[in-house]
Amino acid sequence: MALEDTIREKAGMGVLYAIYAIPYLLCGLPIFSMAARLMRKGSIFNEFTLMCGATIAAGVLGHLGEAVGVMLFYRAGEFLQELASANSRKSIRALLASKPNTANVLKDGSVQEQKVEEVLPGDIVVVRAGEKVPLDGVVSSGFSSMDTSPLTGESLPVNVGPDSPVMAGCINTSGVLEVRVTSRFADTHMAKILEMVENAASRKSPTERFITRFARYYTPAVVGVAFLIACLPPLLGGAAWQEWIYRALVLLVISCPCALLISIPLGYFGGIGAASRQGILVKGGNVLDAILHTNTVVFDKTGTLTAGSFSVNKIVAAQGMDANTLLEAAAMAESESNHPIAKSIMAKVPQFTRPADLKAQEKAGYGMQAAANGTTYFAGTAALLRDNGIEVPEASEHGTIVHIGEGKNYLGYLVIADAIKPDSAPAVAALKALNIKTALLSGDRKEAVRQVAEQIGIDEYRAELLPEQKVEAMQSLADTQNMVFVGDGINDAPSLATARVGIAMGGIGSEAAIEAADAVILNDSPSKIAELYKLARRVRTVVWQNIAMALGIKGLFMALGVAGLSGLWEAVFADVGVALLAVLNSVRVMKKQ
């Protein structure tokens, strides 16, 4: 009779195991698969192996319901974490979705659809109302309003017409435009933005790297402690093996570091997404950490604090020269430059005909030098002309002075005026409110730099600096490790690379400046810098809240588990619940403050 009862009991247990095995395997197979992959790569101690080992041992000890519960709630927690994570990536997905795939190319009087990668510079593309501009270019015909919010975050439309530059990814809101393509898609602003966004996640912050290293040692340590808890009390005090093994399993489930490993990178990713929504491209979580260790923002002047919309206010020809000769020589030197000053000079010479043999060279920080028809032309600083044997008289004017030379002759100078951006003064005031110091470095004349500094409230400034002198001036102003540099031109690239954090103006900024920078402001607004500081502080607060919450709650439940006051049900709720709370807290970074 006893044998029959034993058989019935074992048969019942077999049926019970079979019933529990179905949900256990349905929930657990993905976890076992991930654990196996990580173990093949040499990672033995991780959250997946902990979860698998703990549930198998629980089943062997007869805690079938709890073993299934651990897997079930862990998978449910993962699902909820993915939902929360998806919310934090909305801005990034929206940016990636703004990439145009095809272009309507005008050829032989008809419109043909082509992939954007196949369109060449010089091609004319037709952009109808509601369509995205497929590639960077210049409007050749038509008038419209352009929605630039996919790139700059600004909702106000921008009016465009013939000769207006337009960028890939912007939306044509009205009318039909014909746009002459100026660069292949791989070289467009949009392509560079997408590359920055895709690479940003791989640039980990110091906090992320610390947590990764911490988990590498934390998990094996917890496994070792769990082993001791399972073995020492029974061996030393004669306690029940099953009871202490169960307590060790509770410790293993609670100790999974997934709350830290998931929520902290998500906090930084959410910060990068929030910045992109505001028109600021941050090249990695490390930038958000680095900017918090800075206390000084150093600005370039032209194109950064000023609009870069120059105009020739005054023409001063040397004795014996006339204004037309002066302007013609200036156009010879500046015709190959994209600098705003060069464009303002070329606007004064609309009938300029470029010589076939013209060869131009930019002298960073000095100006332009060009050769044509056997003659050399110069446009730039007095130092540029003097270095080439041209005697330059002193000139005292309000504005930027461009001296013009031809061969060994001095022809005169042009006075270029530039307007201060409307938000430059509020930007400086916002930084001062955050206890951030400000300074201004420029290659322009001292008088022009002084006027700008006084108007926008910057106390310290340096003028007439070459690119290498800007770096030296930065070091004399403050430790470059505590400094943010903001610039837009090719001559600012060394300073952007030297500062702890370099911020480039992306609208009119040069490719060299954008490449060297750690962050890019797409709409050229200086006020975005204070917003970036505030965002970085918000990210840091949320990340350290997650760390404190995860370690605090896990530590409490570990103590309860070792004391026998909590079981596997409480353990899985503690692990999954803490992870979900941390993820939801990370999503707060995305909310506007």
Side-chain angles (χ1 to χ4, degrees):
M1 193 71 181
L3 179 60
E4 290 179 4
D5 290 340
T6 302
I7 292 173
R8 287 196 195 95
E9 183 179 343
K10 288 186 176 180
M13 287 296 294
V15 171
L16 191 62
Y17 269 102
I19 292 173
Y20 277 116
I22 296 172
Y24 179 81
L25 291 175
L26 287 174
C27 296
L29 281 177
I31 299 173
F32 275 97
S33 175
M34 180 60 71
R37 283 202 297 271
L38 291 174
M39 289 179 70
R40 283 197 296 269
K41 294 179 179 179
S43 175
I44 299 175
F45 300 106
N46 55 71
E47 59 180 296
F48 300 101
T49 55
L50 291 183
M51 202 64 62
C52 294
T55 53
I56 290 172
V60 171
L61 293 176
H63 299 279
L64 301 177
E66 290 171 284
V68 173
V70 168
M71 284 296 189
L72 177 63
F73 285 110
Y74 183 77
R75 292 287 290 159
E78 278 192 327
F79 173 72
L80 294 175
Q81 288 167 23
E82 281 301 316
L83 288 181
S85 300
N87 185 49
S88 76
R89 299 168 194 264
K90 282 182 180 177
S91 294
I92 300 298
R93 288 204 309 272
L95 186 61
L96 295 175
S98 66
K99 174 189 173 183
N101 296 313
T102 60
N104 296 316
V105 182
L106 185 62
K107 287 187 176 180
D108 301 324
S110 63
V111 176
Q112 303 174 13
E113 188 175 282
Q114 290 182 216
K115 293 182 179 179
V116 291
E117 291 82 5
E118 298 173 355
V119 182
L120 300 175
D123 286 349
I124 301 295
V125 297
V126 177
V127 186
R128 303 180 182 90
E131 293 181 345
K132 296 172 187 172
V133 178
L135 298 105
D136 290 355
V138 176
V139 176
S140 58
S141 70
F143 294 87
S144 182
S145 292
M146 197 65 63
D147 177 6
T148 63
S149 59
L151 295 183
T152 66
E154 294 295 326
S155 57
L156 291 175
V158 176
N159 293 326
V160 296
D163 298 326
S164 297
V166 291
M167 291 190 294
C170 297
I171 301 171
N172 179 20
T173 59
S174 61
V176 178
L177 296 175
E178 291 185 6
V179 176
R180 178 172 52 81
V181 176
T182 56
S183 60
R184 299 183 72 100
F185 183 77
D187 299 321
T188 61
H189 276 70
M190 167 62 73
K192 293 181 186 301
I193 289 168
L194 295 177
E195 183 181 359
M196 289 178 194
V197 171
E198 289 167 356
N199 293 337
S202 64
R203 297 179 65 176
K204 289 189 175 183
S205 72
T207 306
E208 289 177 275
R209 290 194 294 268
F210 165 75
I211 291 300
T212 303
R213 291 195 302 269
F214 172 78
R216 194 178 301 154
Y217 298 104
Y218 162 83
T219 307
V222 168
V223 172
V225 171
F227 178 78
L228 294 176
I229 289 172
C231 297
L232 287 182
L235 290 174
L236 299 178
W241 281 92
Q242 183 168 336
E243 172 65 21
W244 285 95
I245 290 174
Y246 181 77
R247 294 187 186 188
L249 296 180
V250 172
L251 178 66
L252 288 178
V253 173
I254 295 174
S255 68
C256 286
C258 52
L260 294 173
L261 296 177
I262 294 172
S263 65
I264 292 172
L266 187 60
Y268 285 101
F269 201 85
I272 293 170
S276 72
R277 189 175 61 190
Q278 296 175 36
I280 310 168
L281 284 184
V282 178
K283 293 186 180 180
N286 57 330
V287 178
L288 295 175
D289 266 359
I291 199 170
L292 293 174
H293 294 90
T294 62
N295 57 22
T296 305
V297 174
V298 178
F299 292 95
D300 171 53
K301 181 177 73 70
T302 304
T304 302
L305 294 174
T306 60
S309 55
F310 294 88
S311 61
V312 177
N313 278 12
K314 191 174 182 181
I315 303 171
V316 180
Q319 188 173 4
M321 297 292 171
D322 62 80
N324 289 335
T325 302
L326 175 62
L327 287 172
E328 187 72 20
M332 285 284 192
E334 297 281 13
S335 62
E336 297 293 294
S337 174
N338 288 320
H339 195 280
I341 287 179
K343 292 180 179 178
S344 70
I345 293 173
M346 296 306 297
K348 277 286 186 180
V349 194
Q351 304 302 322
F352 174 74
T353 302
R354 182 188 182 281
D357 63 341
L358 178 68
K359 292 183 179 179
Q361 181 182 7
E362 182 171 355
K363 302 289 186 180
Y366 288 94
M368 292 292 296
Q369 176 179 330
N373 303 322
T375 305
T376 305
Y377 300 89
F378 304 93
T381 63
L384 173 64
L385 274 67
R386 286 171 183 153
D387 287 348
N388 287 276
I390 302 174
E391 187 176 341
V392 179
E394 292 296 327
S396 178
E397 299 277 359
H398 294 300
T400 299
I401 294 180
V402 179
H403 294 278
I404 310 300
E406 178 181 346
K408 297 297 182 181
N409 299 319
Y410 180 70
L411 304 185
Y413 61 86
L414 306 174
V415 181
I416 312 294
D418 186 14
I420 295 175
K421 292 179 180 178
D423 70 336
S424 290
V428 171
L431 289 170
K432 288 184 175 181
L434 296 173
N435 295 319
I436 304 298
K437 301 174 186 176
T438 57
L440 174 58
L441 301 180
S442 177
D444 207 346
R445 294 168 48 256
K446 186 173 182 178
E447 181 61 24
V449 176
R450 182 188 65 78
Q451 284 185 329
V452 171
E454 289 179 352
Q455 287 185 49
I456 65 177
I458 291 180
D459 300 320
E460 195 163 4
Y461 62 89
R462 306 283 174 85
E464 300 177 357
L465 299 172
L466 298 175
E468 61 272 18
Q469 292 174 327
K470 279 189 180 181
V471 175
E472 295 171 4
M474 287 168 57
Q475 293 169 340
S476 67
L477 284 169
D479 180 358
T480 52
Q481 289 304 301
N482 298 323
M483 182 182 294
V484 172
F485 183 84
V486 188
D488 72 301
I490 188 172
N491 59 318
D492 294 322
S495 299
L496 289 166
T498 301
R500 181 158 194 164
V501 177
I503 301 178
M505 294 294 175
I508 62 173
S510 73
E511 292 185 6
I514 293 172
E515 187 68 26
D518 300 295
V520 180
I521 296 175
L522 294 175
N523 68 347
D524 289 346
S525 172
S527 60
K528 297 290 186 182
I529 300 165
E531 293 181 19
L532 185 58
Y533 268 98
K534 293 175 184 177
L535 178 63
R537 292 180 181 183
R538 197 157 75 243
V539 169
R540 180 181 62 179
T541 298
V542 167
V543 164
W544 283 103
Q545 284 174 349
N546 286 346
I547 293 173
M549 178 172 59
L551 294 180
I553 295 177
K554 282 181 177 290
L556 173 64
F557 274 88
M558 283 181 187
L560 293 174
V562 172
L565 299 177
S566 67
L568 282 177
W569 287 109
E570 292 85 353
V572 70
F573 274 118
D575 176 54
V576 174
V578 170
L580 184 57
L581 285 174
V583 169
L584 292 175
N585 192 40
S586 297
V587 173
R588 289 195 307 117
V589 173
M590 299 292 295
K591 298 185 180 295
K592 288 187 176 180
Q593 297 296 308

